Amino acid sequence: MALSIAIKPGSTFTSIYVSGHGLVLKEPTLAAFDINDKKRIRAVGYEALAMRGKAHNVTVVSPVNEGVITEPEIFSLMLREYLNKLSSEEAIFRPRYKAIVGIPLGLSIAEREMYEETFLEAGVHSITLVPSIILSAIGADLPVSTGKGMLAINIGGGRTELALISYGGIINGCGVGIGGLSLDKALVDHVMRKYNAKITLDEATKIREEIGSLYDNDIASRTVSGMDIMSKVPEFVSVGAYDVREVVLPYFIRICDLAKTIVRSCPASIAHDIMSGGVAITGGVSNIPGIDALFAERIQLPIKAFQRPEYLQIVGAGKLLANDELLYQLIDGGAV
């Protein structure tokens, strides 16, 4: 039995969409192993996350870095565990999986072959590789197959991608290693410098997601637990939205600068489309309040933001599963 699915392997989360059922799995892209045995997985996803920094003789690994699979063997083992969750325990045979897989922009031929081999090893028998930025645009209901040019920006967990899309193809695009993980690491460093306290990456993520803001008058704050770097004793630290803004603002300004570079290079034939259609911003990190105002001010174009932008890529992949005509248009346009 063949089962059509879509898979988005992200730096922070891996999502699986099953045709006819919708989004059935979204778990951290993490695998836990015994320190001396990386062939046997102890846990994956949320179970592995719970072990990070707490379980003796256990190492927790993320096999995706800046949106790219960098540990294919570990990713295959992790994905196989996730696919096992899709099968009934009573099933005698596993289904043959046919998948649409979201990939970063600019993969080489060798890297694309590595993706194919990695998913084959995990138990996926047939895959179609589609740029994740295209999937985001489909999920946002943008007219990717028409001649109306559009600029899409996706700010994910490990990577930001920008693409000028028209007639199912990418006219110009780029990716940069800016995402939730880099913002959270920078926030950890900021708290250490300013408050002399060491907090975990998980705490930094909670701070960014719960009180993060790009408004300079936001007075929200959050108390987190950390370790005083001088006395080496636990303590509580109050971190403000202004701290988050100070840390993340330079990263978002850099994304805006990249967007302006792409806009300036766009063909005159679609310049009017960009002026009228504006810029679509997707990805989980685009949830931060004030991002639409900042981008509109710096890019000087209308900005389209979306509800639940962290789900648009996998939802777009799910839509593509049910739309062969659109898939053929993307193939003809050179995006696939």
Side-chain angles (χ1 to χ4, degrees), residues 128-130 167-168 324-336:
T128 301
L129 303 177
V130 181
Y167 280 122
D324 289 339
E325 181 180 353
L326 178 56
L327 179 58
Y328 294 143
Q329 289 174 329
L330 294 178
I331 293 172
D332 290 340
V336 177

Side-chain angles (χ1 to χ4, degrees), residues 224-241:
V224 298
S225 59
M227 183 74 71
D228 186 285
I229 61 175
M230 300 299 293
S231 64
K232 306 297 183 184
V233 297
E235 66 171 354
F236 290 105
V237 180
S238 179
V239 181

Side-chain angles (χ1 to χ4, degrees), residues 4-297:
S4 294
I5 63 175
I7 304 172
K8 177 59 185 75
S11 298
T12 51
F13 287 94
T14 292
S15 302
I16 300 179
Y17 186 109
V18 176
S19 180
H21 296 276
L23 180 64
V24 299
L25 183 144
K26 182 182 180 185
E27 295 218 23
T29 307
L30 295 172
F33 300 85
D34 289 328
I35 287 179
N36 298 320
D37 184 5
K38 278 197 173 184
K39 296 295 185 183
R40 187 175 68 86
I41 284 185
R42 287 274 298 271
V44 297
Y46 284 109
E47 291 183 17
L49 178 61
M51 290 182 172
R52 187 160 63 183
K54 294 183 178 180
H56 180 62
N57 285 334
V58 170
T59 180
V60 178
V61 179
S62 176
V64 180
N65 183 37
E66 294 187 2
V68 181
I69 296 175
T70 52
E71 299 277 359
E73 291 185 8
I74 293 176
F75 184 85
S76 286
L77 291 171
M78 182 197 72
L79 181 59
R80 183 173 286 274
E81 293 292 320
Y82 287 151
L83 293 177
N84 285 340
K85 294 184 178 184
L86 305 186
S87 303
S88 167
E89 293 183 1
E90 292 80 20
I92 300 176
F93 301 106
R94 288 182 58 183
R96 293 178 61 85
Y97 293 110
K98 178 182 179 183
I100 285 176
V101 176
I103 60 171
L105 288 175
L107 289 185
S108 66
I109 293 176
E111 287 170 328
R112 292 175 71 93
E113 290 176 350
M114 179 271 288
Y115 267 70
E116 292 172 351
E117 292 170 1
T118 298
F119 280 83
L120 180 63
E121 184 66 25
V124 180
H125 297 84
S126 173
I127 70 170
T128 301
L129 303 177
V130 181
S132 295
I133 191 72
I134 293 286
L135 299 178
S136 294
I138 295 171
D141 290 326
L142 301 179
V144 297
S145 63
T146 71
K148 185 175 177 60
M150 69 199 73
L151 178 60
I153 301 175
N154 188 84
I155 312 172
R159 182 179 174 88
T160 293
E161 294 194 331
L162 307 89
L164 190 60
I165 303 168
S166 179
Y167 280 122
I170 296 175
I171 297 175
N172 192 6
C174 66
V176 61
I178 295 174
L181 288 173
S182 55
L183 301 184
D184 296 342
K185 289 176 182 177
L187 187 56
V188 168
D189 293 340
H190 172 84
V191 172
M192 184 180 297
R193 288 193 306 268
K194 185 173 180 178
Y195 298 105
N196 295 315
K198 175 71 174 177
I199 64 173
T200 66
L201 194 62
D202 294 335
E203 287 284 8
T205 302
K206 293 176 183 177
I207 293 170
R208 174 177 57 81
E209 292 180 345
E210 293 179 14
I211 66 166
S213 170
L214 294 174
Y215 292 118
D216 57 12
N217 61 350
D218 195 321
I219 60 172
S221 64
R222 188 180 190 277
T223 299
V224 298
S225 59
M227 183 74 71
D228 186 285
I229 61 175
M230 300 299 293
S231 64
K232 306 297 183 184
V233 297
E235 66 171 354
F236 290 105
V237 180
S238 179
V239 181
Y242 49 84
D243 288 305
V244 181
R245 183 178 186 275
E246 180 181 341
V247 169
V248 306
L249 185 58
Y251 292 92
F252 286 111
I253 289 175
R254 185 180 175 196
I255 294 170
C256 290
D257 290 342
L258 289 171
K260 288 190 290 186
T261 299
I262 290 179
V263 170
R264 289 168 184 158
S265 68
C266 76
S269 56
I270 63 173
H272 179 268
D273 296 337
I274 303 298
M275 292 295 294
S276 61
V279 181
I281 306 176
T282 64
V285 181
S286 69
N287 264 327
I288 190 166
I291 191 172
D292 49 349
L294 174 69
F295 276 46
E297 176 187 357

